[in-house]
Amino acid sequence: MFSFVAYPYPKSDSYKEILLSSITAGLLIYIFLIVFQPFGTESFRHQYKYLLLFPYSVIFGSVFFAAELSIIRFRDWNICSELLKVAGILFSASILSYFYNTLFISHVTLSFSNYLYMFLYCLALGIPISTIYILSRYIYLKRTHEKTAEEVSQQLADHHSLIVATLSKTLDISANNTDLQIPEENFICAQSMENYCSIYFSENGQVRKLVVRISLSNLLNQVQTDSIKKCHRSYIVNLSQVKSLKGNAQGYRLFLSDIDFAIPVSRSFISLIIPKIRSLKV
C-alpha cells in the first residue's frame, strides 16, 4: 500500500495544458448536472435553471486550475500527493459551492449541517469527475512523452556520429589527489553517490569507471559544456552520447552508447535537456 501511494505521478508544467484540463473538468461537472440532475436538481424549477447551474462548473474549474498552479514548482510528485491535491480541490469547491447555493439559489440560513450536505454532494459528484481527470491526464502526458522520445530518438539515430565528431574540448577534472584529462567526446556520464562521483568515460575504445571524492556540483563546474549537462540531482550526462530515449507518464530516461543503465531526466530539467538534445542533432 505504501509503495503504491509513493509511486511517481506526472505533473504538467504547461500552462496551456493546465488551463484546458481545468476547463474540461469544470465542463464535465456541468454536463453531469444537466444530464443526470442529481441531488434534487431535477425538482428545481427556474426559468434560468441551466444558467444558474453553470457557476458550479466555473467553481470546480477554477479550483482545479488554482490547485495545479500552486504545485507547478514542486519537483517530486507521487500518487499520495495527487490524492491529497484532489481532496483539497473537493473541499475548497464544496465551500465555494455552498456559499453560492445559499446566497443565490436556496437562500437558506448558513449552517454547518447544510454545509455537510453540500460537502457530501461535492464528494459524490467530484470523485468520479476527478477520477476521469486524473486518468485522462496520466494517459495524455504518457503519450506526449512517448511521442517526443520517439521523435528525438529518430534524430539521434540520424545525426549521432556527426555530432560526436565535432566535439574537441579537453575536460580537466581535479579532486583531492586525482587529476584527470578527458576529451569531451569521451566523457559519457557521472553519477553522484553522496560525497563521491562515479565518472564514466571511454579510453582506447573501452569504458572506464573512476570513483572520485567530489560533489556533483563541483564536478559539474569543471566539465559542463554545451553538450555536457546535469539532468538529474544525481547525474551529469554528455548529451552527444545519448543514442535514444524513452518517455512515460513520469518523464524521460536517456540511453547512452556505452553503458547498460538508463539515466533519468528530472522533471525540472526536461525543459532544458530535451530542447538541447534536439539542437545538438540539427
Side-chain angles (χ1 to χ4, degrees):
M1 176 64 180
F2 290 106
S3 60
F4 169 74
V5 297
Y7 190 78
Y9 186 87
K11 185 173 66 66
S12 177
D13 295 323
S14 168
Y15 291 100
K16 180 180 179 180
E17 189 279 329
I18 291 173
L19 177 61
L20 291 177
S21 61
S22 300
I23 291 174
T24 301
L27 290 177
L28 286 175
I29 293 290
Y30 183 64
I31 292 171
F32 193 95
L33 285 174
I34 64 175
V35 172
F36 297 101
Q37 300 193 38
F39 320 129
T41 305
E42 184 178 2
S43 60
F44 174 60
R45 296 289 183 266
H46 196 283
Q47 61 177 334
Y48 300 118
K49 173 180 178 178
Y50 296 121
L51 183 61
L52 289 172
L53 291 176
F54 186 73
Y56 290 113
S57 171
V58 176
I59 288 172
F60 273 85
S62 299
V63 174
F64 269 98
F65 183 70
E68 289 295 338
L69 288 184
S70 67
I71 66 167
I72 199 169
R73 293 187 179 182
F74 285 81
R75 292 189 177 184
D76 298 318
W77 202 251
N78 53 39
I79 291 178
C80 180
S81 304
E82 185 68 13
L83 294 177
L84 289 174
K85 183 197 75 176
V86 170
I89 288 173
L90 297 182
F91 177 69
S92 301
S94 69
I95 294 176
L96 295 175
S97 296
Y98 171 66
F99 280 108
Y100 170 72
N101 178 271
T102 301
L103 297 175
F104 298 100
I105 298 181
S106 62
H107 302 288
V108 297
T109 303
L110 293 172
S111 69
F112 183 70
S113 59
N114 286 336
Y115 165 71
L116 286 180
Y117 282 112
M118 177 59 71
F119 179 67
L120 294 176
Y121 293 158
C122 286
L123 285 182
L125 182 60
I127 288 177
I129 299 301
S130 296
T131 301
I132 295 173
Y133 174 84
I134 291 171
L135 292 177
S136 61
R137 293 188 78 223
Y138 183 94
I139 294 171
Y140 169 78
L141 292 172
K142 180 176 182 292
R143 289 180 176 176
T144 299
H145 291 162
E146 288 176 344
K147 181 179 179 181
T148 300
E150 183 179 353
E151 293 173 351
V152 176
S153 291
Q154 184 59 49
Q155 291 178 322
L156 291 170
D158 293 340
H159 300 282
H160 178 73
S161 59
L162 175 63
I163 297 303
V164 171
T166 62
L167 304 179
S168 59
K169 181 180 179 180
T170 299
L171 307 176
D172 295 311
I173 302 174
S174 298
N176 292 334
N177 297 323
T178 301
D179 290 304
L180 183 66
Q181 290 187 326
I182 306 174
E184 182 180 354
E185 64 270 20
N186 290 354
F187 181 90
I188 300 173
C189 67
Q191 180 182 11
S192 174
M193 301 177 297
E194 295 184 355
N195 295 324
Y196 292 84
C197 283
S198 294
I199 302 173
Y200 294 83
F201 60 98
S202 59
E203 186 176 62
N204 299 323
Q206 300 293 322
V207 176
R208 286 191 56 193
K209 174 184 176 181
L210 182 65
V211 179
V212 179
R213 185 178 177 85
I214 188 174
S215 67
L216 194 71
S217 59
N218 191 4
L219 178 61
L220 181 65
N221 290 334
Q222 299 184 48
V223 302
Q224 182 167 239
T225 65
D226 192 51
S227 63
I228 298 176
K229 300 293 182 183
K230 183 179 180 181
C231 64
H232 185 273
R233 64 173 177 268
S234 299
Y235 290 94
I236 296 172
V237 62
N238 188 342
L239 298 178
S240 69
Q241 294 280 354
V242 177
K243 64 177 181 180
S244 65
L245 69 159
K246 291 185 178 180
N248 55 33
Q250 284 74 50
Y252 299 94
R253 290 177 298 155
L254 306 177
F255 293 84
L256 278 61
S257 303
D258 298 312
I259 59 174
D260 57 2
F261 58 88
I263 296 178
V265 179
S266 294
R267 183 180 290 111
S268 57
F269 288 101
I270 289 177
S271 60
L272 168 67
I273 296 300
I274 301 304
K276 177 60 66 174
I277 292 177
R278 288 183 180 275
S279 67
L280 287 173
K281 310 306 171 184
V282 175

